Amino acid sequence: MSLSAEDLHWAPGGVPILRGVTLRLPGRGVLGLVGPNGSGKSSLLRLMAGLRRGTGGAVLLDGQPMARMRRRDVARRLALVEQDAATASALSVREVVALGRPPRRGAWAPWSAADEAAVAAALARAGMQGRGDQPWATLSGGECQRVQIARALAQEPRELLLDEPTNHLDIRHQLELLRLLPHLGARVVVALHDLNQAAAFCDEIAVMQDGRLVAQGRPAQVLDAGLIRDVFGVEARIERSGAGLRIAFF
């Protein structure tokens, strides 16, 4: 069992944002969450991370309702990297990543060799090894995003949720970050805007529209011209080859 949403509704103030979403993570690999702006991607990730509670349905972790679990226990299983995670600029890279360790430590426990090893491993997985002493304020946008991912990995999660991690990055840093996803040591759910990137880097894709999940499966099974027209309101041509598929818009 893993993380799932089961008939999940969220209607803050009576305004429906999520409408009966059932989403299950694949057994392994990267699940891409795509959809137009306002389709509910970020809201779904926050509910699945336990930061908000739905107004109907449930988020399950290993078959148990997350709402009944202690926040500390949830944080030991999964981590969320939001679009604009705030970090004090005076910290070093290592200090930022160490902020992910509290769920794994006792309230009064001293910093340990296990904590140090977890921080080092998280930096290595995020491709930031050897950069621990660098001031956070000197990092590029792509490096900042890698460090935020390392901070989440320091929790040692089994599921990692990423909300549009390529936002505001140039194309080189987008591709570098996306290539990391299969190697992070966790099941990954990542919200993306770019359908070609989702098709290239995700093992499965889940498509959101107006707060509903309208399709989920392998990119070649899910992405076709009809779905793209209906969901995104644009015409597209799907080009398939042995390397996968590419979407041309017109």
Side-chain angles (χ1 to χ4, degrees), residues 33 37 40-46 51-52 79-85 145 149 160-168 177 181 188-193:
L33 192 61
N37 287 340
K41 301 187 299 296
S42 294
S43 296
L44 177 60
L45 288 179
R46 291 188 184 109
L51 299 186
R52 296 172 177 167
L80 169 67
V81 178
E82 299 193 77
Q83 289 185 43
D84 299 303
Q145 196 66 283
I149 291 172
L160 178 62
L161 313 180
L162 304 173
D163 189 6
E164 297 186 14
T166 58
N167 217 12
H168 309 307
L177 191 148
L181 299 185
V188 174
V189 182
V190 55
L192 294 170
H193 270 304

Side-chain angles (χ1 to χ4, degrees), residues 180-204:
L180 281 177
L181 299 185
H183 309 291
L184 294 179
R187 290 177 177 171
V188 174
V189 182
V190 55
L192 294 170
H193 270 304
D194 190 306
L195 293 182
N196 277 303
Q197 289 182 351
F201 292 101
C202 298
D203 300 285
E204 284 194 14

